Amino acid sequence: MSESCSLWRCANCATSHFPRRLICPRCGSSEGGAVDASAGVIEQTTVVHRAVGGALPEPQLLATVLLDAGPHLIAGLDGPAFPGTRVSVRVSDGAIRATPAA
Amino acid sequence: MPATVVGAAETAYARHAGATVDTRAVLGEAASLALADAGISASDVDGLAVASFSLAPDHAIDLAWRLGLRLRWLLEDTNGGASGLDMLAQASTALAAGDASTILILAGDAQGAAAVAERQAAFNAATRDHLAPLHYGGPNSLFAMLTQRQMAATGLEHEDYGRVVIAQRRWAADNPGAVYREPLTMAQYLAAPLVAEPLRRYDCVPGVAGADAIVLRAEGGAVHVRATGRSFNHDDQSGDGLQTGLRQIAPALYEQAAVAPSDLDLACLYDDYPAIVLAQLADAGIAPDDDIAGYVRSTLAERRFALNTSGGMLSCGQAGAAGGLHGLVEAVRQLRGEGGARQVAGARLALVSGYGMLLYRYGAASAAAILERR
């Protein structure tokens, strides 16, 4: 099941944050709400081969994504892509996924 | 700041021992060793600080009971890799205020790989909710991407990280307490299995079971705490993680101790990953911001500066929260002239740092101290 990835957007100063904050770190307002993080740009990627305790069932491709809305997030990456590649961002089965733009 | 170290100890660190060794047992062993080193008994202790990831369901007071300590000052510190130096700072303040006269500082963990993986997956709510579902494999993947950012920003190359690891391994050869003491070549370093690109096996701190302890008194010890500093959530996770909280701590630390980075005889900087060692070297003003790579190649690789002389956690292993005290114990040993074959000649002044608590993309807690032999 796929759904949009939510950021928290301050109602006062309009900056967006991820994960959500209790109080806006920029202006101090506690008023805000969810907005969709639909797209961004890959900054770094890595392939995780091993976890503590042993090898993973399969290597996991991860990316640090700078969202158009401002904040960074870390996502599972659907297929190899270089830094600078634009991605769309969704949440699938509780996991943030980034898909390289076609 | 009237605080002196009167006792220091580290248990044997054991790899793959988490299932057979108990956290309480290693903390108790470290306490006994440190009290013996100080030449005092449990009845002399009136303050206790402890940091551990695996003390639950117990708390600090349970440990006081199990150790037979009757106290008027008690602290349980939850700042991970920064907890050791944070406890040192808080204990120093308590001694100065007269809240206690003799404080035992303890840190340690004995957890198997499965328990460590479970802890990492639920390290905080952000990790549980946003990283664990990605099968992110623990902090290695986060520091892999941080290392890439550092390489892009500084010109550091794979071999430079290897130079850090190899130099520390050379120190470890002369430390009977190090888990990994055999020499490491650049070819071996570069050929090691990938963990999370670009990090390979020797870039990632190995987990061990063990504990460290320090005994602090206002006076009476040869090693004086000259300055302490702490930083929490230094940039709100809004940066790239290439500067640690030590950047904010360092100026006041040197001012308080009335010394300069060039006065240091050695440094024990928190080394969960080589990238964090290098970030802190610049944060502490030991290495130049504009030529960290040159510093690695000319100074660190040749061991012209005594950095992580125990071999660091990268060679000794990370015993959970004990990692935050490991560098402090090593610095005390060096300043007392007890470094054995790895003794830094004439060591008088040391900088020690701790770093930890990944909030989402990188660590957010730093603590540091300057120690002097008098």
Side-chain angles (χ1 to χ4, degrees), chain B residues 89-168:
Chain B
Q90 302 218 38
S92 298
T93 303
L95 291 174
D99 288 347
S101 68
T102 304
I103 296 179
L104 173 63
I105 301 174
L106 282 177
D109 280 287
Q111 288 189 293
V116 171
E118 195 175 315
R119 184 225 302 166
Q120 289 179 346
F123 194 68
N124 63 0
T127 301
R128 179 196 63 200
D129 297 345
H130 305 301
L131 292 176
L134 308 179
H135 305 290
Y136 81 122
N140 295 333
S141 56
L142 306 176
F143 285 97
M145 291 191 279
L146 184 151
T147 299
Q148 290 177 35
R149 293 194 286 275
Q150 189 180 55
M151 292 173 80
T154 61
L156 285 160
E157 296 172 358
H158 293 295
E159 287 81 355
D160 294 317
Y161 297 97
R163 289 179 178 104
V164 174
V165 175
I166 290 166
Q168 290 194 195

Side-chain angles (χ1 to χ4, degrees), chain B:
Chain B
M1 177 174 296
T4 68
V5 179
V6 298
E10 183 172 278
T11 70
Y13 281 0
R15 191 98 169 99
H16 308 300
T20 54
V21 187
D22 175 72
T23 290
R24 282 155 204 77
V26 294
L27 289 170
E29 185 188 349
S32 295
L33 292 170
L35 292 178
D37 184 60
I40 62 174
S41 64
S43 60
D44 297 317
V45 175
D46 60 358
L48 172 69
V50 60
S52 174
F53 289 111
S54 53
L55 200 54
D58 283 357
H59 290 290
I61 195 164
D62 296 282
L63 203 59
W65 176 38
R66 302 273 183 165
L67 292 168
L69 304 177
R70 300 173 186 220
L71 307 170
R72 56 193 180 109
W73 187 85
L74 182 63
L75 167 71
E76 187 167 344
D77 195 294
T78 59
N79 290 303
S83 60
L85 279 296
D86 184 39
M87 292 190 290
L88 181 77
Q90 302 218 38
S92 298
T93 303
L95 291 174
D99 288 347
S101 68
T102 304
I103 296 179
L104 173 63
I105 301 174
L106 282 177
D109 280 287
Q111 288 189 293
V116 171
E118 195 175 315
R119 184 225 302 166
Q120 289 179 346
F123 194 68
N124 63 0
T127 301
R128 179 196 63 200
D129 297 345
H130 305 301
L131 292 176
L134 308 179
H135 305 290
Y136 81 122
N140 295 333
S141 56
L142 306 176
F143 285 97
M145 291 191 279
L146 184 151
T147 299
Q148 290 177 35
R149 293 194 286 275
Q150 189 180 55
M151 292 173 80
T154 61
L156 285 160
E157 296 172 358
H158 293 295
E159 287 81 355
D160 294 317
Y161 297 97
R163 289 179 178 104
V164 174
V165 175
I166 290 166
Q168 290 194 195
R169 185 60 69 86
R170 284 176 64 197
W171 287 109
D174 290 323
N175 179 9
V179 169
Y180 295 104
R181 300 180 64 191
E182 65 280 10
L184 183 67
T185 66
M186 185 62 79
Q188 287 171 321
Y189 168 82
L190 292 171
L194 273 167
V195 174
E197 291 163 12
L199 303 184
R200 294 176 182 272
R201 175 178 288 158
Y202 299 110
D203 296 308
C204 302
V205 72
V208 295
D212 287 68
I214 292 281
V215 183
L216 217 58
R217 272 186 168 169
E219 48 195 30
V223 174
H224 290 239
V225 181
R226 288 290 309 278
T228 60
R230 291 162 282 166
S231 166
F232 305 107
N233 191 32
H234 64 294
D235 69 354
D236 221 12
Q237 299 278 297
S238 64
D240 51 19
L242 301 186
Q243 293 189 352
T244 72
L246 183 58
R247 172 88 45 170
Q248 297 180 336
I249 297 169
L253 206 62
Y254 291 123
E255 190 181 339
Q256 197 181 339
V259 299
S262 57
D263 296 326
L264 297 171
D265 298 302
L266 72 144
C268 297
L269 303 181
Y270 199 80
D271 63 326
D272 45 358
Y273 298 90
I276 293 303
V277 176
L278 296 175
Q280 291 178 102
L281 273 171
D283 290 341
I286 297 171
D289 276 317
D290 58 358
D291 190 21
I292 187 82
Y295 183 86
V296 171
R297 293 162 199 170
S298 65
T299 304
L300 272 196
E302 304 301 323
R303 296 204 304 171
R304 291 194 178 115
F305 180 70
L307 176 70
N308 293 344
T309 51
S310 68
M313 294 193 299
L314 289 169
S315 289
C316 294
Q318 181 183 46
L325 273 186
H326 173 80
L328 189 57
V329 169
E330 171 65 11
V332 170
R333 287 175 173 170
Q334 287 286 350
L335 296 176
R336 287 170 167 185
E338 296 168 354
R342 68 184 188 282
Q343 178 65 44
V344 177
R348 187 186 65 83
L349 202 66
L351 171 70
V352 187
S353 79
Y355 167 90
M357 301 314 286
L358 277 110
L359 296 186
Y360 182 51
R361 297 176 61 216
Y362 47 85
S366 283
I370 291 175
L371 307 181
E372 185 179 18
R373 185 198 67 227
R374 283 186 175 168

